[in-house]
Amino acid sequence: MMWALASLLLAGLARAAIPNAMLRGMPSLPKIPVPARSNTSPNGTALPPITTVYYFDQLIDHNSPDLGTFQQRYWMNWEFYEPGGPIVLMTPGETDADGYEGYLTNETINGLIAQQQSGAAVLVEHRFFGYSNPYDNLTSQSLALLTIQQAIDDLDYFANTADLPMPGGDAVKPGQAPWILIGGSYSGALTGWTMVNKPGLFWAAYASSAVVEAITDYYGYFTPIREYMPQNCSSDVEAVIMYLDGLYAANNTAGIQTLKDAFGLGDVVHVDDFASALQYNLFDWQSLQPDVGPGAMFFDFCDALEVKDGVSAGPEGWGLENAIYSWGNFWNTTYYNYVCGSEDAETCLGTYNATQSFYTNVTINNAERSWFWMVCNQVGWYQVGPPEGQPAIVSRILQPIYEERQCVDMFPQAFAYPPQPTTTETDMMYDGWNLDVPRLFFANGLRDPWREATVSADGLYKANTTSMPIYEGDGFHCSDLITENGIVDPTIAVVQAAGLMYMKEWIAEWTPSA
C-alpha cells in the first residue's frame, strides 16, 4: 500500500511539456488511490459507487443570478451517515476532481471525521476546473468569473441549495445539520477564507497546509526544502546556483552557455528559462510524503550529486566542479527524458514563444491555464530566488516579472503589460495570516514547501488556541489529510487525533436553527 501510494504521488507530478516551472509546484492536494470496494449504509443498504457523478445547478455569476446556472460536478459517500450527523464538504481545489474520490473514505481525514461523527462526505469540483465550467472555453472573458469570491459563493450556494442524493438529503441544509468544511493547500486556504467571509455557514472547518497568505514574491517556497533536504545536496545546489548568478552578474554569456551545455540544455535560448529548469528538481520535493523512500525522483537527484563510488559527501558536498558535472549528468541521462520526453529543450522549457499551445489552448479541463489565471490576478505565489544575503538554492535571476511576463502571453486580451497580482487586496479581504475565526482547525507540516504561506510560517508565532487550534507535524504537503501517513509518522498521528478531538467537541456544541 505504502509504495503504491508513493508511486502514484510521484507520477502525479510528472507534468511534461509545461514550460512554466511554477505550475510544477502548484499547491495541489495529493491524490490517493480510489478504493475498489462497495459500500453499504449503517442499516446495510447497498450504496452507489463513490465514483458516481452527481450534478448541481450552480450559479454562473453570484452577482448576476439572471445569467443562469451551469452543471457543477460532485461526488458523495454516506456509508457512515446517520440522521443528525454532519455533512463533511471538500473541494479539491485547482484540479479535475475526478480521481479524488478517495477523500470520501476513511483513508483520509474527511472520512475519519465522517465515521466518527456519523456524517456524510461530499466532494465538489471547483468552478473552471475539470468539467465544472460556466462556459465551454477558458478564454480570459470566461475566466473573469474565476475569482476567490465566486468560489466561496459556490460553496455557500451549494450548501444552502443542493438536495443531496442520500435519503433525507433534502433536509440537511446548514441550520438543519452541521456542515464541516475541509480543504488542503489552496482549497485549505479557501476553507479559511470561507470561514472569514461567510461566518456561521460552516459550523467547523479543517484546513491542511492552508496557504492563507497571498504572496507575490514567494521565495519562501524553497526555505523548508533547503532546511530539510540532505545538507550535502543543498550545499552543492547552492554552489551551482551561486556560480550561475555570478556568471549572469558578470554578463559572461560564454560561461553561461558552457554551463547550459553541461546540462544538455544548450539550446535553451534565455538564461531565465535555464535558471527555471534547474528549479524542476526542487519541485519534486512537493511530491514526497512520509512513506516515500528510495527511488523517489528527488532522492535520486540528490544521490546523483552526492554519492561517488558508493561514498556520500559530507555536509559541505563535493564542491562546484563535481556538482556541475554530476547534476548535469543526471539531467542528460535521466531527468531530461522524465521532463521533456522527445521534445527539444527550447520547446519544452522555453517560455518566450507566445504561439505555443501552452499559451493558446483555451479548451476546458486545463487546470494549468485556470490556475495561471488565479495566480496572475489574485494570489501570486511566484516561486522565485531569495533576496541577497540569504542562502539560495534557486537563482536570483528568477523574479516575479518572469512569471508576470507569461501572464501577458497566456491572457493577451486581459493584460497589455505584466500584471501585479492583487495580493494585498486578497489578504485584506480574507484576513490572510491575520484571520481569527472560531472552530477552525489548522494542520501544517514542517517539511511542506508551502509552509511559509500558512499560519505556521517562520516568525509569525500565531497562537494555538482552543478556538482556532494550530497543529504542526513533521509531514510534507497536506500529509495529515491521508490516514496512512499517521500510521507511518507519529507526529502526524498527533495532528490527526487532535483534529478528530476538536471536531467531536465542536459538533457536540451545534444546535439547529429555530
Side-chain angles (χ1 to χ4, degrees), residues 60-390:
I60 292 173
D61 183 354
H62 293 276
N63 298 317
S64 301
D66 54 330
L67 285 180
T69 61
F70 69 96
Q71 295 276 281
Q72 187 171 36
R73 300 195 299 174
Y74 72 100
W75 294 257
M76 189 167 180
N77 179 20
W78 58 96
E79 65 175 310
F80 304 119
Y81 181 75
E82 296 181 18
I87 307 300
V88 181
L89 179 66
M90 168 187 265
T91 174
E94 72 287 22
T95 187
D96 178 351
D98 196 0
Y100 283 83
E101 296 92 341
Y103 282 88
L104 298 171
T105 74
N106 59 6
E107 294 184 20
T108 63
I109 196 72
N110 308 43
L112 291 177
I113 293 170
Q115 184 174 25
Q116 174 182 270
Q117 302 301 140
S118 302
V122 182
L123 186 78
V124 63
E125 191 166 62
H126 195 293
R127 63 169 48 216
F128 287 102
F129 290 92
Y131 291 95
S132 296
N133 288 272
Y135 299 110
D136 63 357
N137 61 70
L138 298 178
T139 63
S140 52
Q141 183 178 3
S142 297
L143 289 168
L145 291 172
L146 174 54
T147 65
I148 293 168
Q149 190 59 51
Q150 292 280 356
I152 291 173
D153 291 341
D154 282 351
L155 298 174
D156 184 356
Y157 193 70
F158 181 90
N160 279 303
T161 311
D163 290 338
L164 302 177
M166 68 181 187
D170 58 348
V172 289
K173 310 290 189 294
Q176 298 172 304
W179 282 62
I180 299 171
L181 186 60
I182 298 183
S185 201
Y186 158 67
S187 85
L190 191 63
T191 295
W193 297 336
T194 301
M195 294 293 280
V196 169
N197 190 252
K198 304 284 184 182
L201 172 64
F202 293 94
W203 180 250
Y206 184 113
S208 171
S209 295
V211 286
V212 293
E213 180 81 358
I215 302 169
T216 300
D217 194 351
Y218 188 46
Y219 57 86
Y221 178 91
F222 300 100
T223 301
I225 302 177
R226 182 180 54 76
E227 289 175 346
Y228 287 100
M229 70 191 284
Q231 190 177 343
N232 52 10
C233 190
S234 63
S235 295
D236 278 342
V237 169
E238 282 183 44
V240 175
I241 295 305
M242 184 182 298
Y243 179 65
L244 169 60
D245 285 358
L247 293 173
Y248 181 74
N251 198 27
N252 186 341
T253 54
I256 290 172
Q257 186 62 44
T258 301
L259 185 59
K260 290 194 292 186
D261 289 339
F263 283 77
L265 301 177
D267 292 339
V268 174
V269 175
H270 296 89
V271 65
D272 50 2
D273 286 339
F274 172 63
S276 177
L278 299 187
Q279 290 179 294
Y280 279 40
N281 299 107
L282 302 174
F283 283 125
D284 290 331
W285 179 269
Q286 189 171 312
S287 68
L288 298 177
Q289 289 294 348
D291 57 2
V292 174
M297 186 59 78
F298 186 89
F299 294 125
D300 282 352
F301 154 65
C302 278
D303 285 349
L305 264 68
E306 302 309 325
V307 180
K308 283 201 299 187
D309 302 321
V311 178
S312 294
E316 69 284 351
W318 291 116
L320 176 63
E321 185 176 350
N322 184 78
I324 292 173
Y325 169 77
S326 56
W327 192 358
N329 186 58
F330 182 69
W331 262 87
N332 279 296
T333 60
T334 303
Y335 203 70
Y336 185 92
N337 185 62
Y338 173 72
V339 172
C340 296
S342 60
E343 284 191 333
D344 68 87
E346 178 61 19
T347 301
C348 175
L349 302 167
T351 62
Y352 282 81
N353 180 1
T355 66
Q356 281 198 78
S357 61
F358 169 73
Y359 290 124
T360 60
N361 178 12
V362 296
T363 56
I364 63 168
N365 196 18
N366 181 347
E368 285 76 29
R369 183 177 183 84
S370 297
W371 181 241
F372 216 127
W373 177 262
M374 301 191 78
V375 160
C376 294
N377 281 287
Q378 289 191 284
V379 295
W381 291 321
Y382 297 134
Q383 294 140 326
V384 294
E388 291 288 348
Q390 293 194 19

